[in-house]
Amino acid sequence: MLDTATVQIIKATVPALQLYANDITSHFYPLLFAQHPEVLPYFNQTNQGKGTQPKALANAVIAYGANIDALGNLSEAVSKIVQKHVALGILPEQYDAVGSCLIQAIKAVLGDAATDEVIDAWTKAYGQLANILIAAEESIYTENEQKSGGWRGEREFILVKRVDESSVITSFYFQPFDDKGLPNFEAGQFLTLVFDDINGVSMRRNYSLSDATGKDYVRISVKREPNGVVSDHLHNNIQLGDKVKLRAPSGDFT
């Protein structure tokens, strides 16, 4: 729990961060990718190009600072972040990389306003948030692993069927390579597909489950997107009998 002085500094600096939030996050991502290129597969570069990820991070930082003394207000937002992180397979050690680059970005953008006291307060605040997320994510990783048919991390599946639903949408049916069954999932959940090498780049993408639970397969229905590297790869290159690595079903229920 943060001390009173730290909370007061965070609350007092929220207006400045709100004013420069987009500058901070725009500075943050190039730093992160340059210093820690191993995290690139966890980020959708299309969303980076559109600016949606930097904007989402800016909003999250502002909301966290504004509610630093009332974190219960953020429970729904935190739950969504946790589910997304679990789907991608975010690891505890990756929080250190993100935190370091975020603090560097704050210092670079705020300049003299980023005093030692301000940087110390935001470092502590980030550490608190990281610990909350790490604990919540580990709980879900464990739950997924302990389910009947469940697993932790990546698991190999085989494409057993593909159906062209339209000129731009194809459904892909996957069965576990190990024949050990599948966990039940909820409507609205999604799978994360992990590709180690698409044109020399490792990528991860989430796709909604498009069939009911309780089958001996999982199905996703993928729309071919303009400039969509992963959707193009699925449509053009993944054929019957090919292996694909999947992460366990994740996401908020609908």
Side-chain angles (χ1 to χ4, degrees):
M1 186 173 180
L2 300 178
D3 59 81
T4 302
T6 297
V7 170
Q8 290 175 343
I9 292 172
I10 296 297
K11 298 280 282 188
T13 53
V14 165
L17 262 69
Q18 188 167 13
L19 183 62
Y20 295 105
N22 291 331
D23 294 331
I24 290 170
T25 55
S26 295
H27 195 83
F28 160 76
Y29 281 107
L31 272 178
L32 180 65
F33 297 151
Q35 295 181 16
H36 301 278
E38 70 277 7
V39 306
L40 271 168
Y42 296 89
F43 293 87
N44 187 320
Q45 295 305 309
T46 299
N47 290 339
Q48 282 288 314
K50 293 178 179 177
T52 53
Q53 280 182 337
K55 184 177 180 180
L57 177 60
N59 291 338
V61 170
I62 293 166
Y64 178 56
N67 291 277
I68 195 70
D69 54 351
L71 295 181
N73 295 339
L74 302 177
S75 57
E76 183 176 348
V78 168
S79 176
K80 290 181 179 179
I81 292 171
V82 167
Q83 289 287 350
K84 185 172 183 179
H85 284 185
V86 168
L88 292 171
I90 299 300
L91 301 174
E93 55 266 29
Q94 291 167 331
Y95 281 93
D96 291 338
V98 169
S100 172
C101 292
L102 182 59
I103 295 302
Q104 290 177 58
I106 290 173
K107 291 176 69 173
V109 173
L110 294 188
D112 292 341
T115 63
D116 290 344
E117 291 78 11
V118 168
I119 293 303
D120 182 61
W122 276 98
T123 299
K124 290 178 180 177
Y126 175 82
Q128 173 182 260
L129 179 60
N131 288 336
I132 291 170
L133 295 175
I134 288 169
E137 288 156 17
E138 175 56 31
S139 177
I140 297 177
Y141 287 139
T142 300
E143 180 183 353
N144 285 344
E145 186 177 25
Q146 292 177 348
K147 287 180 180 177
S148 176
W151 72 98
R152 176 191 285 253
E154 298 161 8
R155 184 178 177 188
E156 283 193 329
F157 282 68
I158 295 178
L159 181 66
V160 295
K161 182 180 179 181
R162 53 179 290 167
V163 176
D164 293 332
E165 309 289 0
S166 72
S167 60
V168 294
I169 297 176
T170 298
S171 291
F172 298 85
Y173 296 70
F174 298 101
Q175 289 182 329
F177 179 69
D178 57 19
D179 292 323
K180 290 185 178 179
L182 292 166
N184 289 328
F185 57 84
E186 302 289 339
Q189 291 196 294
F190 52 81
L191 292 171
T192 301
L193 279 65
V194 180
F195 296 99
D196 293 328
D197 185 358
I198 299 180
N199 301 326
V201 180
S202 176
M203 295 187 180
R204 300 174 181 226
R205 289 294 185 274
N206 299 333
Y207 291 102
S208 295
L209 288 149
S210 60
D211 204 347
T213 191
K215 309 290 180 65
D216 65 350
Y217 61 83
V218 289
R219 185 184 77 179
I220 59 172
S221 299
V222 180
K223 181 180 180 181
R224 187 191 293 271
E225 299 287 352
N227 302 315
V229 176
V230 175
S231 65
D232 277 352
H233 180 69
L234 284 165
H235 280 261
N236 297 337
N237 300 319
I238 302 300
Q239 303 299 325
L240 297 182
D242 286 351
K243 293 180 182 178
V244 174
K245 290 188 288 188
L246 305 181
R247 297 189 60 83
S250 299
D252 293 322
F253 306 153
T254 59

